[in-house]
Amino acid sequence: MLNRYPLWKYLLILIVLIGGVVYSLPNLYPEDPAVQISSVQGDTTLDEAQLERVQQTLRDAGIGIKAVERDDTSVLIRLDDADHQLRTRDLLTDQLGDDFVVALNLAESTPGWLQNLAASPMTLGLDLRGGVHFLLEVDMDAAVTQRLEVNASAMREQLRSERIRYRGTDIDGRTLTITFTNDEDRDTARRLISREFRDFDFASEQDGRASLLTMTLTDQAVNEIQDYAINQNLTTLRNRVDELGVAEPLVQRQGPDRIVVELPGVQDTVAAKRVVGATANLEFRLEARPDTPDAETETFAFRNNPNRTADLMRDVIITGDSVSSANRSFDENGRPQVNINLDGTGGTLMNRATRTNIGRNMAVLFIEHKTRDRVVMEDGEEVTVREPYTERGLISLATIQSALGNSFRITGLDSPTEAAELALLLRSGSLAAPIYFVQERTIGPSLGAENIARGVMSVQIGLVLVVLFMLIRYKVFGVFANVALALNLTLLIAAMSLLGATLTLPGIAGIVLTLGMAVDANVLIFERIREELRNGLSIQQAIHAGYERAFSSIVDANITTLLVAVILFSIGTGPVRGFAVTLSLGIITSLFTALLVTRAMVNLTYGGKPVKKLWI
């Protein structure tokens, strides 16, 4: 029978439409402005007394609190007004001090029953919802110092292997100095080292009875080190952002030594700052023997027990750079640990160091670069100066039971959170140089509220004009097309929410274009039906022929547009990709609503019934 669908097809269309409505509903619940409080280490939270004082501070300041939520590691305070976010953060930062991090946030307000169905609102880009903005500065001097420390360690090993005696090494700026007891040893060392290390300008000097070999990095070498540091840090930060699961992030270089990181719509800004800004790295060193000269040892305290110390060799076996993968787990006693796999070079170095030192202790040294603000007086005014400093602490000191290879584990961590973040940092790669926060802020719509309002208005105006045109031009069939158009927008929003696609302002332009694409298919079908009626076909035959004969034209037109959208997505960046995503999904939903949904409505209205006149 013409113009009739089997029951299963009606049910399938109904299920898809119901699913689209359900998964688009979370977008009706706007996010709440909030501040999130967590400890610097991320493993504790506010106690009841502290939380009550925080709430009282906000009440005294006239800031409305919508709700307070807490878990094992953080407290989320939902606010009534977004204008109070910055003031709230400043008040709580002053009250809680350096032990806690207070960060701005946008908290989901999706009802629980929708969350149980894994329904969530679609992701909005920086130009629509904003996000968090970090401006980071790479410590170029530290990059040079780190390279010199690596070179110094290699030189000491080379001198020991050649049995050349030396007193110690010293680093000052871009200069590395090795002290010898006599000129003969110094000159022999100079000939040996100059063959392997060609990035230095060498000079022989005297300091009393001591003979000094002074090596200064060339300008070209310094430039190469600094360029490598910024590029390596860019790669590492991109890996870390990928681990955070942020959609459409921006990580790019700004100037000679700065990096901009923008995370649109980030949910946990505290964790983002802790992970993005972390400059932690690991060093694996042997514990010094009692007879080791003081010049070759360093003393460090344990992170969880500052009163306990250990003397370590200055030479580093491997660093976190050699880690190929890392993941968190728990040992047989339920304590957190990190399982580590090394790359080929790292595994070889670890095996070489441990197989000849069985029974000796090996330490895992945790290194973290931080900054603190210090107020100084300049010209009678208080000026805040950022002061970088480095914290070094032992995580563990364990006896080497057997030769280690590419896989082993780190124990002695304080909490599962610390283990998870350490594993994340090791997976994403260590930084080639420390980075410091120059600026941190949440940013609103980059194109301005007026432009966003105009973008939304364009969709509304386009929708109204299309609806009016279809009603006037096609009457009852225009109603079918308009209902399908509304369902098309619903399905498009649901698809973007389910897939985690990011909606940007250019994406709104894609939605406007989708409106035209959607009704374009209906126009082709309805005009074809009119033509078949003029050719003398019956109403039922005309409806059937209209849909069947317009099918190939509609599919061809939409497929070619879809191919262009795919190309835009593959070669474009940022806003272009946002437009391509919206357009691609809109084409798919338009085909579904134009070919199946409107056909189902027409079939239910006219199919299998005697129709004397068709209002089209």
Side-chain angles (χ1 to χ4, degrees):
M1 184 180 296
L2 290 178
N3 304 320
R4 296 290 290 176
Y5 274 162
L7 179 61
W8 67 267
K9 188 171 287 189
Y10 288 117
L11 292 176
L12 180 61
I13 293 173
L14 183 62
I15 290 172
V16 172
L17 294 179
I18 292 175
V21 171
V22 169
Y23 284 96
S24 64
L25 283 178
N27 296 281
L28 298 178
Y29 299 92
E31 293 163 319
D32 294 326
V35 293
Q36 186 168 332
I37 306 169
S38 69
S39 69
V40 174
Q41 297 297 329
D43 54 358
T44 60
T45 187
L46 297 177
D47 57 33
E48 291 295 339
Q50 288 175 313
L51 185 57
E52 178 57 35
R53 287 196 297 271
V54 164
Q55 295 182 71
Q56 187 60 48
T57 299
L58 298 183
R59 286 193 291 266
D60 293 342
I63 297 174
I65 300 175
K66 185 174 182 180
V68 177
E69 303 169 9
R70 63 182 300 170
D71 55 28
D72 294 337
T73 60
S74 65
V75 171
L76 183 73
I77 301 178
R78 296 175 183 259
L79 305 175
D80 291 331
D81 193 342
D83 293 337
H84 291 158
Q85 270 187 300
L86 289 174
R87 188 180 174 203
T88 300
R89 182 188 65 180
D90 294 341
L91 286 172
L92 299 186
T93 299
D94 292 340
Q95 179 179 344
L96 297 173
D98 297 332
D99 294 333
F100 290 89
V101 176
V102 183
L104 305 185
N105 208 339
L106 289 172
E108 286 191 15
S109 59
T110 305
W113 68 274
L114 283 174
Q115 293 183 13
N116 294 335
L117 295 174
S120 60
M122 67 177 148
T123 304
L124 301 181
L126 273 168
D127 52 0
L128 293 183
R129 189 174 79 173
V132 64
H133 169 99
F134 297 128
L135 179 61
L136 306 169
E137 183 176 309
V138 181
D139 190 337
M140 294 302 191
D141 292 335
V144 173
T145 300
Q146 288 182 2
R147 178 66 64 87
L148 289 175
E149 288 174 348
V150 171
N151 288 338
S153 179
M155 290 176 186
R156 288 194 296 266
E157 183 178 353
Q158 190 175 26
L159 293 175
R160 285 195 296 268
S161 65
E162 297 293 332
R163 300 184 182 277
I164 300 175
R165 293 175 297 174
Y166 66 96
R167 288 183 179 178
T169 58
D170 180 65
I171 295 173
D172 182 18
R174 55 197 286 183
T175 300
L176 170 62
T177 302
I178 304 179
T179 304
F180 298 88
T181 56
N182 56 68
D183 294 348
E184 183 181 353
D185 287 340
R186 180 194 61 193
D187 296 339
T188 303
R190 177 171 178 169
R191 288 192 297 271
L192 178 67
I193 293 174
S194 61
R195 290 198 298 266
E196 300 292 334
F197 300 90
R198 301 182 182 276
D199 294 333
F200 292 92
D201 291 328
F202 293 84
S204 299
E205 299 177 358
Q206 292 293 135
D207 183 15
R209 294 185 177 181
S211 299
L212 305 181
L213 177 59
T214 302
M215 296 163 284
T216 304
L217 283 169
T218 63
D219 291 339
Q220 181 181 354
V222 171
N223 292 334
E224 290 176 354
I225 291 170
Q226 294 179 343
D227 193 57
Y228 169 79
I230 194 80
N231 290 327
Q232 176 61 31
N233 283 5
L234 275 171
T235 301
T236 300
L237 289 174
R238 289 191 180 107
N239 291 337
R240 291 181 181 180
V241 169
D242 290 341
E243 290 273 358
L244 286 172
V246 177
E248 300 290 337
L250 173 69
V251 182
Q252 68 180 21
R253 182 172 181 171
Q254 185 181 82
D257 60 352
R258 291 187 173 184
I259 297 174
V260 173
V261 178
E262 293 183 351
L263 309 176
V266 69
Q267 287 297 308
D268 191 351
T269 53
V270 176
K273 182 179 179 181
R274 198 161 52 234
V275 171
V276 170
T279 56
N281 200 357
L282 296 181
E283 289 183 355
F284 296 83
R285 302 192 191 186
L286 292 172
E287 186 178 25
R289 292 190 173 95
D291 58 348
T292 305
D294 292 340
E296 297 184 10
T297 67
E298 289 182 284
T299 302
F300 298 100
F302 282 78
R303 296 185 74 212
N304 56 3
N305 184 6
N307 295 323
R308 182 186 172 197
T309 61
D311 295 331
L312 306 184
M313 300 293 295
R314 284 184 177 271
D315 293 334
V316 178
I317 301 173
I318 60 168
T319 66
D321 297 333
S322 300
V323 176
S324 59
S325 67
N327 59 81
R328 182 194 69 176
S329 65
F330 296 90
D331 62 16
E332 56 275 5
N333 297 318
R335 291 174 297 205
Q337 66 180 23
V338 175
N339 299 319
I340 288 180
N341 290 320
L342 302 177
D343 57 23
T345 303
T348 300
L349 293 174
M350 178 63 72
N351 181 265
R352 183 189 304 167
T354 55
R355 73 187 178 200
T356 57
N357 289 283
I358 294 175
R360 191 174 175 184
N361 289 337
M362 183 176 69
V364 181
L365 184 65
F366 186 88
I367 304 172
E368 190 168 15
H369 303 279
K370 297 182 177 181
T371 59
R372 53 182 164 231
D373 292 335
R374 186 166 54 90
V375 179
V376 298
M377 298 296 296
E378 290 187 6
D379 299 330
E381 295 183 358
E382 291 186 350
V383 178
T384 301
V385 178
R386 191 189 70 229
E387 185 178 80
Y389 66 100
T390 302
E391 289 185 353
R392 292 179 171 88
L394 292 171
I395 293 179
S396 66
L397 184 66
T399 303
I400 301 172
Q401 304 289 347
S402 60
L404 300 178
N406 292 71
S407 301
F408 56 94
R409 62 182 182 175
I410 296 176
T411 57
L413 300 168
D414 292 335
S415 67
T417 301
E418 182 183 14
E421 291 185 357
L422 177 59
L424 187 155
L425 296 175
L426 291 173
R427 280 198 307 273
S428 61
S430 62
L431 296 170
I435 54 176
Y436 305 109
F437 285 94
V438 175
Q439 186 182 70
E440 174 204 352
R441 59 187 172 90
T442 55
I443 58 178
S446 61
L447 298 182
E450 183 179 355
N451 286 347
I452 296 172
R454 288 181 178 180
V456 175
M457 186 179 293
S458 67
V459 176
Q460 296 171 341
I461 293 174
L463 183 60
V464 169
L465 291 177
V466 168
V467 166
L468 290 176
F469 172 80
M470 296 302 290
L471 287 175
I472 295 171
R473 177 71 176 172
Y474 298 110
K475 302 178 177 61
V476 175
F477 276 73
V479 174
F480 297 153
N482 291 334
V483 172
L485 186 60
L487 293 173
N488 178 29
L489 290 177
T490 302
L491 290 175
L492 175 57
I493 293 173
M496 294 187 70
S497 301
L498 275 172
L499 297 177
T502 300
L503 179 64
T504 60
L505 197 57
I508 294 178
I511 293 178
V512 176
L513 182 57
T514 296
L515 298 179
M517 297 287 292
V519 297
D520 179 64
N522 285 319
V523 168
L524 287 175
I525 294 170
F526 298 162
E527 289 297 331
R528 188 73 186 192
I529 293 174
R530 281 181 162 185
E531 182 180 345
E532 298 299 340
L533 288 173
R534 287 194 295 267
N535 290 337
L537 291 182
S538 67
I539 289 177
Q540 297 292 351
Q541 290 174 331
I543 293 173
H544 179 76
Y547 275 95
E548 293 297 321
R549 294 176 182 177
F551 177 82
S552 59
S553 298
I554 294 171
V555 172
D556 289 347
N558 282 274
I559 290 298
T560 52
T561 307
L562 182 61
L563 289 175
V564 173
V566 171
I567 294 172
L568 283 175
F569 181 83
S570 62
I571 65 175
T573 58
V576 175
R577 298 186 75 177
F579 173 80
V581 168
T582 308
L583 181 60
S584 302
L585 293 175
I587 289 172
I588 296 172
T589 56
S590 296
L591 286 174
F592 175 77
T593 54
L595 297 176
L596 293 177
V597 175
T598 58
R599 183 69 184 273
M601 288 189 288
V602 170
N603 288 352
L604 289 172
T605 305
Y606 298 108
K609 300 175 183 178
V611 182
K612 295 182 179 180
K613 185 175 182 181
L614 197 63
W615 292 91
I616 186 172

